[in-house]
């Protein structure tokens, strides 16, 4: 018999969960529900954030079409995650170092990646990984969770240099099950490295619901074992995401170590455009349920009521975005044909003798 | 010049590296105050401080990922994996990340990591401490794999690895750590990567080997010399990439080849050397007999009471050499 008075496990679990209540500032009706926490954003910043979110949705919509036309390779739709991705991004600085997951192109482009490079990466072109010199970040990680241990490393480096920079990195609900996730968060904690970890909980790791990933009632509480703050935030609410991310960055910058943020969000569309069918694993009602929480909708209402936005201008803006996006597509269409010899040449700083033989062989075949 | 064991030469090399390259960092399990379980990093934390020589949490994948992240931040990391049998835990960081970063970024980013680790059998260690896993590493494009056989090379190869802007897996045979001393210069020097060394000249047959097996091969060659068989011994030193030219030149001279490795027979480094000789005109036309191979058998590394029965030794090398010499 367990002596419940001495070992009240249920009460223990309950007490853990009380520390991870979801933070919301702007609700789905576009109303401020927590005025104490409203972040200090100027009208211009608010409008710019909304424009960024609209741009991201426009890129997403265009990519869906391109993917269906067979004009993209891998594409992971981002619709629904605009607040999670772009309001979090807004809290960081150009000098902060970004380690994205594979769905995090919007942040990368905001951080300085020309959009056509994102298309080239999707299509599988060498130039898709050749980033501009000053861009503080790496290309999206394909191995789920591998960026988490690396983020600890970049953060430790910054700390050693005494740099006034932080690292920010993203993974998903599935990513928080990986061993590397726990190792990376724990390392960053042990070294007090300035890292902000985002788990974008978009409900499904491809088809597996996050509730099947873990017995934990939130993913944010995974921070507790590493001894670092873990915050759960409404990932459809740009004000809450921004406010928490901003506070986390300051915490890290002040030398307190890392923070883990779970943004509770939704991917409206398939995992990728390569045959994933969400109808197999999602309840019919959940689509409408989540689209009612659309971050664009609540932000539009909020800005309109503040007199900062006119819905009539939106259509032209999106047309303009799409025009720019198509120009970037055109740029990626013009990328040169790739050569095998080129791949062999970049295996090492200097090709080895055996590689030199292979380079010569392929160069002859390629006719130069 | 000091007489140093291989482990002392490695410590000396790390000391030189920390002194010369400000962006080098040494980290791993117990490498700080404790100086590593083999004392490879002894005294380095005291000399250079915890900022540059530090302990990590006990997680190999984390150590590998930390190295990649530090390299992104322009450091020159020198992580230690306590025993290379624990490499499986960090295989993604090695093969999935550091080996691929230059390629993934279209040649725009260096990944100057030297991952050191003890390996090899014959020291009565528990399971997973004695395996020869260099073949797995050698199959990964984008990695260099270095295995020294003596103190002088260990220092020079380690410093060359640390200078290299690509990831190097630097494997240190535990049996060689303290088995003998030789003269090692105190000052900084390098031994080039990717270059094999003829450690004994001979005319009748070439043995190609690396690591601890260099010494068993030299023992065999000495005994064979007494029987009038002149054996040339090549120490590969770098097992990826392999210095094919040095082997070809030797085989053109001797016409006979035996490849010796401590690892199991399946796949592996010996197979690659045999294939390189068999598919090259210079190699195949020079050969007067089939290539011989000495290796461990294809079982898991054995229970420690049986390891002497399992591992190749001079006697087995002699038998194979005679078989190849007597072929007609």
């Amino acid at each position: 018999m367990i002596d419940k008075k001495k070992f009240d496990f249920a009460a223990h679990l309950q007490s853990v969960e009380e520390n991870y209540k979801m933070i919301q500032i702007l609700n789905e009706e576009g109303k401020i529900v927590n005025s104490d926490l409203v972040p200090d954003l100027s009208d211009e910043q608010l409008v710019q954030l909304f424009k960024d979110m609209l741009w991201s949705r426009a890129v997403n919509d265009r990519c869906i079409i391109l993917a269906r036309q067979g004009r993209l390779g891998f594409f992971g739709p981002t619709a629904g995650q605009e607040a999670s991705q772009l309001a979090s991004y807004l809290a960081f600085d150009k000098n902060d170092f970004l380690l994205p997951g594979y769905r995090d192109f919007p942040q990368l482009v905001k951080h300085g990646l020309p959009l056509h490079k994102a298309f080239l990466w999707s299509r599988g072109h060498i130039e898709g990984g050749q980033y501009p010199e000053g861009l503080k970040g790496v290309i999206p990680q394909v191995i789920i969770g591998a960026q988490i241990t690396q983020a600890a490393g970049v953060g430790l480096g910054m700390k050693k240099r005494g740099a006034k920079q932080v690292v920010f990195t993203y993974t998903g609900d599935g990513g928080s099950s990986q061993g590397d996730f726990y190792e990376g968060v724990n390392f960053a904690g042990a070294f007090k490295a300035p890292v902000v970890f985002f788990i974008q909980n978009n409900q499904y790791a491809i088809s597996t619901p996050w509730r099947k990933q873990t017995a934990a009632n939130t993913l944010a509480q995974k921070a507790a074992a590493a001894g670092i703050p873990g915050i759960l935030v409404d990932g459809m609410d740009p004000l809450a995401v921004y406010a928490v991310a901003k506070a986390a960055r300051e915490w890290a910058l002040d030398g307190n170590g890392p923070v883990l943020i779970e943004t509770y969000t939704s991917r409206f569309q398939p995992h990728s455009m390569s045959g994933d069918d969400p109808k197999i694993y999602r309840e019919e009602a959940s689509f409408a349920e989540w689209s009612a929480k659309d971050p664009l909708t609540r932000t539009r209402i909020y800005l309109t009521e503040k007199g900062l936005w006119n819905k009539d201008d939106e259509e032209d803006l999106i047309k303009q975005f799409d025009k720019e996006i198509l120009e970037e597509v055109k740029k990626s269409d013009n990328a040169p044909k790739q050569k095998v010899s080129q791949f062999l040449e970049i295996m090492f700083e200097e090709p080895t003798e055996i590689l030199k033989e292979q380079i010569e062989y392929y160069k002859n075949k390629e006719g130069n | 010049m000091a007489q140093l064991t291989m482990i002392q030469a490695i410590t000396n090399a790390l000391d030189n590296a920390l002194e010369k390259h400000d962006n080098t960092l040494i980290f791993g399990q117990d490498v700080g105050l404790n100086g590593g379980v083999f004392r490879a990093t002894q005294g380095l934390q005291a000399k250079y401080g915890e900022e540059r020589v530090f302990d990590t949490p006990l997680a190999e994948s984390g150590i590998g990922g930390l190295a990649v992240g530090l390299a992104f931040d322009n450091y020159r990391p020198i992580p230690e994996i306590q025993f290379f049998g624990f490499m499986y835990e960090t295989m993604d960081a090695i093969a999935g990340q550091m080996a691929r970063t230059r390629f993934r970024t279209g040649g725009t980013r260096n990944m100057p990591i030297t991952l050191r680790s003890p390996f090899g059998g014959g020291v009565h260690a528990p399971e997973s401490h004695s395996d020869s896993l260099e073949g797995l590493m050698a199959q990964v494009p984008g990695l260099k794999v270095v295995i020294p056989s003596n103190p002088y090379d260990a220092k020079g190869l380690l410093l060359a690895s640390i200078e290299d802007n690509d990831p190097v897996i630097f494997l240190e045979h535990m049996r060689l750590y303290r088995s003998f001393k030789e003269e090692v210069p105190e000052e900084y020097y390098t031994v080039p990567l990717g270059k094999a060394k003829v450690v004994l000249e001979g005319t009748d047959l070439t043995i190609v080997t690396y690591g601890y097996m260099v010494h068993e091969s030299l023992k065999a060659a000495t005994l064979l010399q007494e029987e009038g068989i002149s054996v040339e011994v090549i120490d590969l030193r770098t097992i990826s990439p392999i210095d094919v030219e040095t082997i070809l030149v030797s085989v053109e001279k001797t016409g006979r080849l035996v490849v010796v490795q401590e690892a199991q027979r399946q796949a592996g480094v010996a197979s690659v050397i045999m294939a390189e000789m068999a598919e090259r005109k210079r190699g195949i036309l020079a050969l007067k007999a089939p290539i011989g191979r000495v290796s461990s058998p294809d079982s898991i590394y054995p229970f420690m009471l049986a390891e002497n029965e399992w591992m190749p030794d001079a006697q087995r090398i002699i038998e194979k050499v005679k078989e190849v010499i007597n072929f007609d």
Side-chain angles (χ1 to χ4, degrees):
Chain A
M1 273 286 285
I2 295 172
D3 181 344
K4 271 197 74 177
K5 271 186 204 144
K6 283 185 184 160
F7 303 108
D8 191 345
F9 296 143
H12 170 70
L13 274 180
Q14 186 72 37
S15 74
V16 170
E17 280 154 24
E18 271 158 22
N19 294 321
Y20 299 94
K21 300 283 188 220
M22 183 139 64
I23 294 173
Q24 190 185 59
I25 296 172
L26 186 68
N27 74 6
E28 51 190 90
E29 278 91 43
K31 301 277 179 267
I32 298 290
V33 292
N34 197 336
S35 50
D36 291 348
L37 296 181
V38 174
D40 187 20
L41 282 169
S42 68
D43 290 350
E44 291 72 31
Q45 282 176 304
L46 282 170
V47 169
Q48 188 56 50
L49 174 57
F50 187 47
K51 283 183 178 172
D52 288 346
M53 287 162 60
L54 287 169
W55 163 82
S56 183
R57 183 70 60 91
V59 174
N60 177 77
D61 293 351
R62 176 49 64 185
C63 285
I64 299 271
I65 297 168
L66 292 169
R68 290 200 176 121
Q69 292 170 335
R71 294 176 70 199
L72 278 187
F74 176 84
F75 174 65
T78 56
Q81 296 184 214
E82 289 85 357
S84 171
Q85 295 181 319
L86 292 157
S88 63
Y89 179 77
L90 185 61
F92 294 89
D93 186 88
K94 273 273 185 271
N95 264 326
D96 293 336
F97 198 96
L98 168 62
L99 293 105
Y102 57 76
R103 208 182 298 282
D104 298 316
F105 268 110
Q107 302 98 299
L108 258 177
V109 173
K110 290 297 295 176
H111 210 43
L113 181 71
L115 183 59
H116 77 274
K117 295 256 180 197
F119 295 137
L120 285 171
W121 182 83
S122 167
R123 289 176 177 179
H125 194 285
I126 184 170
E127 290 181 9
Q130 292 169 336
Y131 279 15
E133 188 88 32
L135 196 158
K136 298 272 189 295
V138 287
I139 80 173
Q141 181 55 249
V142 172
I143 300 299
I144 308 301
Q147 70 273 36
I148 305 296
T149 55
Q150 294 169 13
V154 181
L156 179 60
M158 286 175 177
K159 189 183 169 198
K160 286 186 182 299
R161 287 190 287 109
K164 286 280 154 218
Q165 291 167 278
V166 304
V167 182
F168 60 122
T169 185
Y170 296 83
T171 190
D173 35 311
S176 77
S177 293
Q178 285 278 14
D180 270 359
F181 171 82
Y182 295 98
E183 292 191 22
V185 170
N186 184 59
F187 269 54
F191 293 129
K192 279 203 186 309
V195 186
V196 180
F197 297 101
F198 289 95
I199 302 172
Q200 297 188 77
N201 182 351
N202 70 8
Q203 312 298 315
Y204 298 92
I206 301 188
S207 70
T208 307
W210 74 270
R211 288 281 184 189
K212 286 193 178 175
Q213 298 277 347
T214 178
N217 205 35
T218 68
L219 302 179
Q221 74 197 58
K222 295 186 178 199
I228 68 168
I231 312 288
L232 173 61
V233 59
D234 177 359
M236 309 301 262
D237 168 1
L239 299 187
V241 170
Y242 171 79
V244 169
K246 185 82 181 163
R249 182 179 186 272
E250 279 161 17
W251 171 269
L253 210 51
D254 285 347
N256 300 303
V259 179
L260 175 67
I261 298 170
E262 175 187 359
T263 60
Y264 198 75
T265 181
S266 169
R267 131 169 87 73
F268 289 168
Q269 288 166 317
H271 154 71
S272 78
M273 296 305 289
S274 317
D276 181 48
D277 179 5
K279 290 197 193 91
I280 294 173
Y281 55 86
R282 282 183 67 170
E283 298 283 344
E284 185 58 40
S286 83
F287 292 94
E289 224 170 83
W290 275 105
S291 86
K293 299 180 198 285
D294 192 329
L296 300 188
T297 309
R298 69 178 77 179
T299 311
R300 186 182 294 115
I301 296 169
Y302 177 63
L303 293 184
T304 305
E305 285 180 2
K306 275 176 91 84
L308 296 172
W309 195 254
N310 185 346
K311 174 91 171 81
D312 299 340
D313 302 337
E314 215 173 293
E315 205 175 315
D316 285 345
L317 183 67
I318 287 165
K319 271 191 193 143
Q320 180 58 32
F321 283 148
D322 198 43
K323 206 179 130 213
E324 290 163 15
I325 293 161
L326 286 170
E327 276 162 22
E328 292 290 305
V329 174
K330 207 174 288 168
K331 257 191 231 172
S332 65
D333 290 341
N334 294 334
K337 194 174 179 308
Q338 302 176 87
K339 292 174 177 170
V340 175
S341 60
Q342 193 182 7
F343 302 149
L344 297 167
E345 279 167 345
I346 59 163
M347 285 307 302
F348 296 102
E349 188 171 46
E350 292 290 333
T352 63
E353 293 304 314
I354 287 181
L355 280 169
K356 279 182 197 159
E357 291 177 5
Q358 294 173 25
I359 290 165
E360 197 190 335
Y361 171 82
Y362 279 98
K363 278 199 164 163
N364 283 332
K365 257 181 90 159
E366 291 155 5
N368 52 354
Chain B
M1 241 186 287
Q3 292 278 324
L4 300 182
T5 60
M6 193 167 96
I7 193 79
Q8 288 168 332
I10 287 165
T11 308
N12 183 237
L14 293 171
D15 191 346
N16 284 179
L18 286 164
E19 193 178 344
K20 181 163 176 179
H21 308 291
D22 288 342
N23 59 349
T24 49
L25 297 172
I26 292 174
F27 52 92
Q29 297 157 10
D30 310 300
V31 304
L33 185 62
N34 194 47
V37 292
F38 290 99
R39 308 289 176 259
T41 53
Q42 194 163 42
L44 297 179
Q45 189 181 71
K47 187 165 174 189
Y48 295 97
E50 205 176 341
E51 278 298 307
R52 298 188 64 198
V53 181
F54 56 95
D55 292 329
T56 63
L58 200 165
E60 286 81 11
S61 189
I63 293 169
L66 197 75
V68 174
L70 285 163
F72 284 144
D73 203 43
N74 298 315
Y75 284 90
R76 201 168 275 276
I78 314 172
E80 176 181 299
I81 296 297
Q82 197 160 67
F83 289 91
F84 205 54
F86 312 161
M87 168 275 286
Y88 298 116
E89 308 301 317
T90 187
M91 190 67 168
D92 179 58
I94 295 171
Q97 307 298 327
M98 53 184 89
R100 303 173 77 105
T101 298
R102 180 182 295 284
F103 190 79
R104 185 182 288 165
T105 61
T108 58
R109 272 189 190 275
N110 293 333
M111 205 27 61
I113 297 171
T114 301
L115 185 146
R116 295 179 40 253
S117 192
F119 84 110
V123 296
H124 305 300
E127 194 185 353
S128 289
H129 286 63
S130 303
D131 295 72
S132 289
L133 303 176
E134 69 277 9
L136 287 173
M137 293 293 101
Q139 209 203 343
V140 178
L143 291 181
K144 294 176 186 174
V145 186
V146 175
I147 301 181
S149 72
N150 59 68
Y152 180 89
D153 282 353
K155 176 170 174 179
L157 289 168
L158 181 51
L159 287 171
S161 301
I162 291 165
E163 280 185 8
D164 203 277
N165 281 332
D166 287 297
V168 178
I169 306 301
F170 191 88
L171 300 176
E172 303 160 5
H173 202 292
M174 287 185 272
R175 208 163 168 175
L176 296 174
Y177 269 156
R178 294 183 171 83
S179 58
F180 66 100
K181 287 187 175 186
E182 67 180 10
E183 290 207 336
V184 177
E186 282 288 327
E187 64 272 17
Y188 190 106
Y189 66 90
T190 58
V191 169
L193 306 185
K195 296 278 177 230
K197 188 183 181 195
V198 177
V199 288
L200 180 69
E201 289 194 22
T203 53
D204 298 332
L205 180 142
T206 301
I207 290 177
V208 175
T209 187
Y210 57 95
Y212 173 71
M213 283 298 137
V214 170
H215 301 279
E216 290 295 326
S217 298
L218 286 171
K219 219 184 286 175
T222 307
L223 294 168
L224 286 160
Q225 188 65 51
E226 289 165 13
E227 297 182 42
I229 300 170
S230 166
V231 173
E232 179 144 306
V233 179
I234 294 176
D235 177 358
L236 283 174
R237 305 195 291 189
T238 299
I239 60 129
S240 185
I242 283 170
D243 179 1
V244 176
E245 183 61 26
T246 297
I247 305 170
L248 278 172
V249 167
S250 178
V251 169
E252 281 176 327
K253 177 172 77 174
T254 64
R256 292 172 204 271
L257 176 63
V258 168
V259 189
V260 181
Q261 71 178 16
E262 180 179 318
Q264 290 89 335
R265 188 176 193 273
Q266 60 193 69
V269 177
S271 308
V272 173
I273 293 162
M274 294 165 85
E276 289 288 350
M277 290 304 112
E279 72 178 359
R280 285 170 196 269
K281 193 174 162 189
R282 280 172 68 196
I284 194 78
L285 293 183
L287 288 167
K288 296 178 213 156
I291 303 168
R293 168 162 50 180
V294 179
S295 72
S296 296
D298 290 336
S299 79
I300 304 293
Y301 189 90
F303 307 103
M304 57 181 107
L305 285 174
E307 61 188 353
N308 290 342
E309 274 72 24
W310 188 84
M311 275 175 63
D313 58 14
Q315 200 45 50
R316 280 173 55 194
I317 297 167
I318 288 169
E319 284 162 25
K320 184 56 76 177
V321 168
K322 285 183 177 170
E323 193 185 308
V324 174
I325 290 278
N326 295 328
F327 175 85
D328 263 319

